[in-house]
Amino acid sequence: MARKVVLLVSGAQTTQLLVEPPWRPAVLWDRVTLTCQGLGTAGATTWYKNGQRWGPNRSDHFTVTEIGTYQCYRPGSGFSPTVTVLYDQLVLQAPAWPLLEGDTVTLRCRWQQNMSVTEVQFYHGIEE
């Protein structure tokens, strides 16, 4: 028999900016959708791009069409963390969800479809 678990968290609510697909850094060629979650109605969402109030879009989500640093604001829960969307041809990505010390992390190496890649090597602990 399945059990339903409800988790109640006390304290202040914060605005979250969800990334789909859920990998960071986000890359423009991945058709990234940003969703703002927080208190209040979706129509109350204010979007910021590169630190400036941006666009007439007051919806709680949209598909990104330009590189930049994005943030949203919801009355009652404030500003979200920022999300940067890049246009790099080759990226090493980590999950966009919160990680704790000791978690196993899957990294992925991604490249634009028009690139010809024959080999990928991962290195650990290498400094530039």
Side-chain angles (χ1 to χ4, degrees):
M1 180 176 178
R3 292 185 186 177
K4 183 175 181 179
V5 177
V6 177
L7 178 63
L8 299 175
V9 180
S10 63
Q13 294 286 327
T14 59
T15 302
Q16 297 298 315
L17 187 49
L18 306 180
V19 182
E20 184 61 40
W23 296 90
R24 289 198 184 172
V27 286
L28 191 60
W29 42 266
D30 243 354
R31 288 193 42 83
V32 174
T33 298
L34 299 179
T35 301
C36 189
Q37 289 187 338
L39 297 176
T41 62
T45 301
T46 303
W47 289 97
Y48 291 81
K49 179 181 173 204
N50 300 328
Q52 301 293 319
R53 190 177 177 141
W54 175 74
N57 185 350
R58 301 193 60 83
S59 173
D60 65 339
H61 67 278
F62 71 98
T63 300
V64 178
T65 59
E66 301 174 354
I67 62 171
T69 301
Y70 294 86
Q71 189 175 30
C72 66
Y73 174 84
R74 298 289 290 268
S77 54
F79 285 93
S80 71
T82 60
V83 169
T84 300
V85 179
L86 308 173
Y87 190 82
D88 289 350
Q89 290 187 323
L90 180 68
V91 292
L92 179 62
Q93 292 179 310
W97 54 84
L99 299 169
L100 300 174
E101 185 176 349
D103 285 352
T104 298
V105 179
T106 299
L107 300 177
R108 67 183 194 169
C109 183
R110 305 266 324 288
W111 54 89
Q112 239 180 322
Q113 290 180 344
N114 64 355
M115 287 183 64
S116 176
V117 176
T118 57
E119 180 180 354
V120 175
Q121 294 183 3
F122 290 86
Y123 295 90
H124 171 73
I126 304 296
E127 294 183 28
E128 291 187 27

PDB file of all heavy atoms in Angstrom, residues 46-62:
ATOM      1  N   THR A  46       7.516  39.341 -12.370  1.00  0.00           N
ATOM      2  CA  THR A  46       8.326  40.335 -13.074  1.00  0.00           C
ATOM      3  C   THR A  46       9.646  39.680 -13.423  1.00  0.00           C
ATOM      4  O   THR A  46      10.291  39.078 -12.561  1.00  0.00           O
ATOM      5  CB  THR A  46       8.573  41.578 -12.196  1.00  0.00           C
ATOM      6  OG1 THR A  46       7.313  42.120 -11.798  1.00  0.00           O
ATOM      7  CG2 THR A  46       9.370  42.623 -12.948  1.00  0.00           C
ATOM      8  N   TRP A  47      10.060  39.781 -14.694  1.00  0.00           N
ATOM      9  CA  TRP A  47      11.292  39.161 -15.171  1.00  0.00           C
ATOM     10  C   TRP A  47      12.399  40.193 -15.311  1.00  0.00           C
ATOM     11  O   TRP A  47      12.146  41.354 -15.655  1.00  0.00           O
ATOM     12  CB  TRP A  47      11.058  38.484 -16.520  1.00  0.00           C
ATOM     13  CG  TRP A  47      10.221  37.263 -16.399  1.00  0.00           C
ATOM     14  CD1 TRP A  47       8.876  37.165 -16.606  1.00  0.00           C
ATOM     15  CD2 TRP A  47      10.664  35.959 -16.024  1.00  0.00           C
ATOM     16  NE1 TRP A  47       8.451  35.877 -16.379  1.00  0.00           N
ATOM     17  CE2 TRP A  47       9.521  35.114 -16.031  1.00  0.00           C
ATOM     18  CE3 TRP A  47      11.901  35.405 -15.703  1.00  0.00           C
ATOM     19  CZ2 TRP A  47       9.598  33.760 -15.713  1.00  0.00           C
ATOM     20  CZ3 TRP A  47      11.977  34.066 -15.384  1.00  0.00           C
ATOM     21  CH2 TRP A  47      10.840  33.252 -15.392  1.00  0.00           C
ATOM     22  N   TYR A  48      13.633  39.751 -15.044  1.00  0.00           N
ATOM     23  CA  TYR A  48      14.815  40.592 -15.188  1.00  0.00           C
ATOM     24  C   TYR A  48      15.829  39.855 -16.052  1.00  0.00           C
ATOM     25  O   TYR A  48      16.020  38.645 -15.913  1.00  0.00           O
ATOM     26  CB  TYR A  48      15.436  40.892 -13.814  1.00  0.00           C
ATOM     27  CG  TYR A  48      14.560  41.789 -12.979  1.00  0.00           C
ATOM     28  CD1 TYR A  48      13.486  41.266 -12.275  1.00  0.00           C
ATOM     29  CD2 TYR A  48      14.797  43.151 -12.926  1.00  0.00           C
ATOM     30  CE1 TYR A  48      12.660  42.092 -11.519  1.00  0.00           C
ATOM     31  CE2 TYR A  48      13.980  43.981 -12.177  1.00  0.00           C
ATOM     32  CZ  TYR A  48      12.911  43.446 -11.477  1.00  0.00           C
ATOM     33  OH  TYR A  48      12.106  44.263 -10.746  1.00  0.00           O
ATOM     34  N   LYS A  49      16.440  40.592 -16.971  1.00  0.00           N
ATOM     35  CA  LYS A  49      17.497  40.038 -17.820  1.00  0.00           C
ATOM     36  C   LYS A  49      18.713  40.933 -17.676  1.00  0.00           C
ATOM     37  O   LYS A  49      18.615  42.155 -17.842  1.00  0.00           O
ATOM     38  CB  LYS A  49      17.050  39.980 -19.278  1.00  0.00           C
ATOM     39  CG  LYS A  49      18.105  39.433 -20.203  1.00  0.00           C
ATOM     40  CD  LYS A  49      17.617  39.421 -21.628  1.00  0.00           C
ATOM     41  CE  LYS A  49      18.770  39.038 -22.518  1.00  0.00           C
ATOM     42  NZ  LYS A  49      18.568  39.531 -23.878  1.00  0.00           N
ATOM     43  N   ASN A  50      19.845  40.331 -17.327  1.00  0.00           N
ATOM     44  CA  ASN A  50      21.092  41.072 -17.129  1.00  0.00           C
ATOM     45  C   ASN A  50      20.917  42.224 -16.132  1.00  0.00           C
ATOM     46  O   ASN A  50      21.455  43.307 -16.315  1.00  0.00           O
ATOM     47  CB  ASN A  50      21.648  41.583 -18.466  1.00  0.00           C
ATOM     48  CG  ASN A  50      21.932  40.451 -19.424  1.00  0.00           C
ATOM     49  OD1 ASN A  50      22.281  39.345 -19.016  1.00  0.00           O
ATOM     50  ND2 ASN A  50      21.780  40.707 -20.707  1.00  0.00           N
ATOM     51  N   GLY A  51      20.115  41.982 -15.097  1.00  0.00           N
ATOM     52  CA  GLY A  51      19.936  42.955 -14.022  1.00  0.00           C
ATOM     53  C   GLY A  51      18.915  44.047 -14.293  1.00  0.00           C
ATOM     54  O   GLY A  51      18.661  44.874 -13.430  1.00  0.00           O
ATOM     55  N   GLN A  52      18.302  44.052 -15.480  1.00  0.00           N
ATOM     56  CA  GLN A  52      17.336  45.090 -15.840  1.00  0.00           C
ATOM     57  C   GLN A  52      15.947  44.487 -15.991  1.00  0.00           C
ATOM     58  O   GLN A  52      15.807  43.377 -16.518  1.00  0.00           O
ATOM     59  CB  GLN A  52      17.731  45.750 -17.173  1.00  0.00           C
ATOM     60  CG  GLN A  52      19.103  46.384 -17.162  1.00  0.00           C
ATOM     61  CD  GLN A  52      19.179  47.590 -16.247  1.00  0.00           C
ATOM     62  OE1 GLN A  52      18.259  48.396 -16.199  1.00  0.00           O
ATOM     63  NE2 GLN A  52      20.263  47.705 -15.489  1.00  0.00           N
ATOM     64  N   ARG A  53      14.944  45.224 -15.551  1.00  0.00           N
ATOM     65  CA  ARG A  53      13.564  44.762 -15.757  1.00  0.00           C
ATOM     66  C   ARG A  53      13.389  44.505 -17.245  1.00  0.00           C
ATOM     67  O   ARG A  53      13.837  45.297 -18.071  1.00  0.00           O
ATOM     68  CB  ARG A  53      12.595  45.826 -15.259  1.00  0.00           C
ATOM     69  CG  ARG A  53      11.189  45.331 -15.206  1.00  0.00           C
ATOM     70  CD  ARG A  53      10.279  46.403 -14.637  1.00  0.00           C
ATOM     71  NE  ARG A  53       8.917  45.909 -14.659  1.00  0.00           N
ATOM     72  CZ  ARG A  53       8.050  46.130 -13.708  1.00  0.00           C
ATOM     73  NH1 ARG A  53       8.392  46.848 -12.667  1.00  0.00           N
ATOM     74  NH2 ARG A  53       6.837  45.644 -13.800  1.00  0.00           N
ATOM     75  N   TRP A  54      12.706  43.392 -17.576  1.00  0.00           N
ATOM     76  CA  TRP A  54      12.740  42.940 -18.959  1.00  0.00           C
ATOM     77  C   TRP A  54      11.384  42.471 -19.451  1.00  0.00           C
ATOM     78  O   TRP A  54      10.722  41.667 -18.796  1.00  0.00           O
ATOM     79  CB  TRP A  54      13.762  41.803 -19.067  1.00  0.00           C
ATOM     80  CG  TRP A  54      13.852  41.150 -20.384  1.00  0.00           C
ATOM     81  CD1 TRP A  54      14.413  41.661 -21.512  1.00  0.00           C
ATOM     82  CD2 TRP A  54      13.392  39.846 -20.719  1.00  0.00           C
ATOM     83  NE1 TRP A  54      14.319  40.758 -22.526  1.00  0.00           N
ATOM     84  CE2 TRP A  54      13.698  39.628 -22.074  1.00  0.00           C
ATOM     85  CE3 TRP A  54      12.737  38.846 -20.015  1.00  0.00           C
ATOM     86  CZ2 TRP A  54      13.379  38.462 -22.732  1.00  0.00           C
ATOM     87  CZ3 TRP A  54      12.416  37.675 -20.665  1.00  0.00           C
ATOM     88  CH2 TRP A  54      12.747  37.488 -22.002  1.00  0.00           C
ATOM     89  N   GLY A  55      10.997  42.987 -20.609  1.00  0.00           N
ATOM     90  CA  GLY A  55       9.867  42.472 -21.360  1.00  0.00           C
ATOM     91  C   GLY A  55       8.516  42.700 -20.724  1.00  0.00           C
ATOM     92  O   GLY A  55       8.383  42.873 -19.523  1.00  0.00           O
ATOM     93  N   PRO A  56       7.493  42.635 -21.588  1.00  0.00           N
ATOM     94  CA  PRO A  56       6.125  42.749 -21.105  1.00  0.00           C
ATOM     95  C   PRO A  56       5.608  41.419 -20.563  1.00  0.00           C
ATOM     96  O   PRO A  56       4.524  41.351 -20.029  1.00  0.00           O
ATOM     97  CB  PRO A  56       5.352  43.137 -22.376  1.00  0.00           C
ATOM     98  CG  PRO A  56       6.141  42.517 -23.474  1.00  0.00           C
ATOM     99  CD  PRO A  56       7.589  42.558 -23.028  1.00  0.00           C
ATOM    100  N   ASN A  57       6.406  40.342 -20.699  1.00  0.00           N
ATOM    101  CA  ASN A  57       5.992  38.993 -20.315  1.00  0.00           C
ATOM    102  C   ASN A  57       5.796  38.918 -18.809  1.00  0.00           C
ATOM    103  O   ASN A  57       6.742  39.054 -18.048  1.00  0.00           O
ATOM    104  CB  ASN A  57       7.052  37.994 -20.767  1.00  0.00           C
ATOM    105  CG  ASN A  57       6.655  36.562 -20.514  1.00  0.00           C
ATOM    106  OD1 ASN A  57       5.668  36.297 -19.834  1.00  0.00           O
ATOM    107  ND2 ASN A  57       7.405  35.652 -21.054  1.00  0.00           N
ATOM    108  N   ARG A  58       4.561  38.703 -18.374  1.00  0.00           N
ATOM    109  CA  ARG A  58       4.289  38.584 -16.947  1.00  0.00           C
ATOM    110  C   ARG A  58       3.834  37.179 -16.601  1.00  0.00           C
ATOM    111  O   ARG A  58       3.349  36.912 -15.527  1.00  0.00           O
ATOM    112  CB  ARG A  58       3.280  39.633 -16.512  1.00  0.00           C
ATOM    113  CG  ARG A  58       3.809  41.035 -16.824  1.00  0.00           C
ATOM    114  CD  ARG A  58       3.069  42.143 -16.185  1.00  0.00           C
ATOM    115  NE  ARG A  58       3.013  42.149 -14.760  1.00  0.00           N
ATOM    116  CZ  ARG A  58       3.951  42.617 -13.940  1.00  0.00           C
ATOM    117  NH1 ARG A  58       5.061  43.082 -14.427  1.00  0.00           N
ATOM    118  NH2 ARG A  58       3.759  42.620 -12.639  1.00  0.00           N
ATOM    119  N   SER A  59       3.992  36.273 -17.549  1.00  0.00           N
ATOM    120  CA  SER A  59       3.658  34.872 -17.331  1.00  0.00           C
ATOM    121  C   SER A  59       4.668  34.260 -16.365  1.00  0.00           C
ATOM    122  O   SER A  59       5.755  34.806 -16.165  1.00  0.00           O
ATOM    123  CB  SER A  59       3.705  34.135 -18.677  1.00  0.00           C
ATOM    124  OG  SER A  59       3.555  32.749 -18.477  1.00  0.00           O
ATOM    125  N   ASP A  60       4.355  33.097 -15.810  1.00  0.00           N
ATOM    126  CA  ASP A  60       5.289  32.452 -14.892  1.00  0.00           C
ATOM    127  C   ASP A  60       6.339  31.612 -15.626  1.00  0.00           C
ATOM    128  O   ASP A  60       7.261  31.106 -15.003  1.00  0.00           O
ATOM    129  CB  ASP A  60       4.545  31.605 -13.858  1.00  0.00           C
ATOM    130  CG  ASP A  60       3.825  30.431 -14.482  1.00  0.00           C
ATOM    131  OD1 ASP A  60       3.553  30.473 -15.693  1.00  0.00           O
ATOM    132  OD2 ASP A  60       3.527  29.473 -13.750  1.00  0.00           O
ATOM    133  N   HIS A  61       6.234  31.484 -16.971  1.00  0.00           N
ATOM    134  CA  HIS A  61       7.252  30.715 -17.697  1.00  0.00           C
ATOM    135  C   HIS A  61       7.383  31.209 -19.140  1.00  0.00           C
ATOM    136  O   HIS A  61       6.468  31.835 -19.676  1.00  0.00           O
ATOM    137  CB  HIS A  61       6.904  29.225 -17.695  1.00  0.00           C
ATOM    138  CG  HIS A  61       5.685  28.895 -18.478  1.00  0.00           C
ATOM    139  ND1 HIS A  61       4.426  29.046 -17.959  1.00  0.00           N
ATOM    140  CD2 HIS A  61       5.521  28.460 -19.745  1.00  0.00           C
ATOM    141  CE1 HIS A  61       3.542  28.695 -18.855  1.00  0.00           C
ATOM    142  NE2 HIS A  61       4.172  28.346 -19.972  1.00  0.00           N
ATOM    143  N   PHE A  62       8.547  30.964 -19.734  1.00  0.00           N
ATOM    144  CA  PHE A  62       8.780  31.301 -21.127  1.00  0.00           C
ATOM    145  C   PHE A  62       9.992  30.525 -21.636  1.00  0.00           C
ATOM    146  O   PHE A  62      10.805  30.020 -20.854  1.00  0.00           O
ATOM    147  CB  PHE A  62       8.978  32.811 -21.333  1.00  0.00           C
ATOM    148  CG  PHE A  62      10.283  33.330 -20.801  1.00  0.00           C
ATOM    149  CD1 PHE A  62      11.369  33.516 -21.650  1.00  0.00           C
ATOM    150  CD2 PHE A  62      10.437  33.629 -19.472  1.00  0.00           C
ATOM    151  CE1 PHE A  62      12.578  34.001 -21.161  1.00  0.00           C
ATOM    152  CE2 PHE A  62      11.630  34.104 -18.960  1.00  0.00           C
ATOM    153  CZ  PHE A  62      12.714  34.288 -19.818  1.00  0.00           C
TER     154      PHE A  62
END
